[in-house]
Amino acid sequence: MQISKLFKEGRTGLSFEVFPPKKTSSLDSVYNALGELKELKPDFISVTYGAGGNITNTLTCDIASYIKNELGIESVAHLTCVNTTRENADIILKRLKENGIENILALRGDINPDIPPLKEFVYASDLAAYIKEKGGFYVSGACYPECHYECDNIDEDIKNLKKKTDAGVEHLISQLFFDNQVFYEFVEKARAQGITVPIEAGIMPVTNTKQIERMVSMCGASLPAKFVKVMQRFENNPEALRDAGIAYAIDQIIDLAANGVQGIHLYTMNNPYVAGKITEGVKNVIRTDE
Ligand code: FAD
C-alpha cells in the first residue's frame, strides 16, 4: 500500500516507529511489543535502520516483514545511505522486495566523525532518486521543523527538502518537536516552496529523565517553558513523569489535529504501554473518517 495515499482531507493519520534490538536474541521482546502495538490499529509502523551500512544485519527487514506479513499492518523500512554503496543498496532493496515491503524511508543517516562517508549517495535525495529509478517502492523522507543541525537556516533546509520531494519522496515524517507553533510555521514555509506531499508530525512522548537529557544534547528541539516546568517538577518521580509525558504528548496531538495536521508519527520507543495511553487519549480526535 502506498503510504502517501493514507493522508486524506479531514483525516489525521496515525503511525508508529520502532527500532530493532541490539542483539538478535532480544527480537522476541520487539515482537511482543509489536503484538500490543497492533491492537492500537496504526496506519503503518516504520522500523529504523543503523547508519553504519552493515548489510549482514537483516533486523530492519525482518521486523518490517513481520509487521507486514504476520501482523497485517503496512510497514515502512528505514534505509540510510551515508555508508552504503550502490551494490549494497541493491542487496537491501532485493531483500525488501522479496519480503513484500513496498515502502522505504530514505535517509542519509548521521555522519560519524570517525568514519568518512562513502559518498556514493551524498544526500537522502540521491538515495530516493536511486530507489525510484530502480522501481517497485514508494519512498518517504525525513524533515526538520527546527532545521537540520548541519544547515545554516530553515529556508535553506526547506530548499534542500524540495530537492528531496523532486527526487521522488512522496511523504515526509518530521523530527520530534515540543512546540507546535514551530511545526505550523515549518509546514507553511514548505507549502510556500511548493512541497505538496503529506507531512506527518513526529511526536516523542518523554517519559523518563534519560530521554530528556538525550533530547537536549542530541536533537536540539526547543523546549517550551510549559514542557520544562513539567519535566523539572517531576524529574525525581518516575510515575508522575511518565503520566506528565503522556499528557503532554496527548495535548500536543489534540492541538495538531485541531489545526488539520495530516498525520501523527509516534516515536514509541518500543513501549506499547505509553503508545496505548496516548492512542486512547486521542482516539476520538484523530482518524475521524473511520
Ligand atoms: P538529508 O536530507 O540528506 O539532509 C542532510 C543535510 O544535508 C541537511 O542539512 C540538508 O539541508 C542538507 N542537504 C540535503 N540535500 C542537499 C542538497 N542537494 N544540497 C545541499 N545540501 C543538502 N537515522 C538513522 O541512522 N536511522 C534511522 O532509521 C533514522 N530514522 C529517522 C527518521 C526520521 C523521521 C527522522 C526525522 C530522522 C531519522 N534519522 C535516522 C536521522 C537522520 O538520518 C539524520 O537526521 C541525518 O543527519 C540526516 O538525514 P536526512 O535523511 O534528513 O538527510
Side-chain angles (χ1 to χ4, degrees):
M1 182 212 287
Q2 189 174 0
I3 292 299
S4 59
K5 290 268 177 337
L6 285 165
F7 303 94
K8 298 179 200 125
E9 190 66 31
R11 181 179 195 275
T12 306
L14 175 69
S15 60
F16 294 156
E17 181 170 309
V18 298
F19 54 83
K22 286 215 165 66
K23 295 186 213 135
T24 312
S25 56
S26 312
L27 203 49
D28 277 351
S29 71
V30 177
Y31 288 161
N32 290 339
L34 283 166
E36 291 184 53
L37 290 173
K38 176 194 173 179
E39 300 305 317
L40 307 176
K41 300 188 170 56
D43 290 316
F44 70 87
I45 301 179
S46 79
V47 188
T48 64
Y49 181 82
N54 172 10
I55 57 156
T56 60
N57 184 337
T58 63
L59 286 176
T60 297
C61 179
D62 296 344
I63 296 171
S65 173
Y66 179 82
I67 292 166
K68 174 135 189 179
N69 302 311
E70 301 297 325
L71 300 181
I73 296 173
E74 196 54 45
S75 64
V76 175
H78 296 207
L79 178 58
T80 60
C81 63
V82 63
N83 290 308
T84 300
T85 58
R86 282 186 173 70
E87 198 184 345
N88 284 350
D90 288 345
I91 293 170
I92 295 166
L93 294 178
K94 182 167 176 276
R95 192 184 286 153
L96 293 173
K97 202 166 274 177
E98 281 167 0
N99 280 275
I101 292 153
E102 294 175 277
N103 291 281
I104 296 177
L105 178 60
L107 298 147
R108 188 199 64 185
D110 287 322
I111 295 171
N112 179 335
D114 300 326
I115 306 172
L118 284 178
K119 296 211 170 140
E120 285 206 25
F121 302 101
V122 179
Y123 300 113
S125 52
D126 300 327
L127 177 64
Y130 186 74
I131 297 171
K132 290 312 284 185
E133 191 189 304
K134 291 256 148 190
F137 292 101
Y138 305 110
V139 184
S140 301
C143 62
Y144 302 83
E146 299 191 63
C147 191
H148 184 258
Y149 63 90
E150 288 169 28
C151 198
D152 291 340
N153 63 71
I154 189 73
D155 294 328
E156 203 55 42
D157 204 29
I158 291 175
K159 272 189 198 149
N160 293 333
L161 188 61
K162 177 71 167 61
K163 293 176 194 160
K164 209 184 293 200
T165 55
D166 287 346
V169 163
E170 46 202 318
H171 156 241
L172 294 167
I173 303 178
S174 91
Q175 178 62 285
L176 63 92
F177 59 91
F178 299 104
D179 181 349
N180 287 357
Q181 197 53 40
V182 166
F183 182 78
Y184 301 141
E185 284 165 20
F186 163 75
V187 173
E188 206 178 305
K189 283 186 174 173
R191 298 302 182 219
Q193 288 293 328
I195 295 170
T196 55
V197 303
I199 303 177
E200 274 194 277
I203 297 294
M204 164 82 84
V206 175
T207 54
N208 62 61
T209 40
K210 248 202 221 148
Q211 258 180 302
I212 305 174
E213 285 153 18
R214 237 194 17 228
M215 212 76 64
V216 176
S217 68
M218 273 178 60
C219 96
S222 53
L223 305 177
K226 177 181 165 184
F227 178 87
V228 174
K229 201 170 253 179
V230 168
M231 295 301 140
Q232 282 173 347
R233 178 81 176 93
F234 301 120
E235 65 184 343
N236 297 317
N237 181 340
E239 276 93 25
L241 186 63
R242 191 183 62 191
D243 286 354
I246 290 169
Y248 193 90
I250 290 174
D251 196 37
Q252 249 194 304
I253 295 170
I254 291 173
D255 181 71
L256 287 161
N259 281 278
V261 70
Q262 289 164 295
I264 302 293
H265 186 72
L266 200 61
Y267 295 102
T268 69
M269 308 304 288
N270 296 5
N271 184 331
Y273 173 84
V274 171
K277 288 283 178 194
I278 293 171
T279 306
E280 171 66 20
V282 301
K283 68 172 190 275
N284 295 315
V285 298
I286 59 171
R287 297 185 288 181
T288 48
D289 68 339
E290 290 170 344

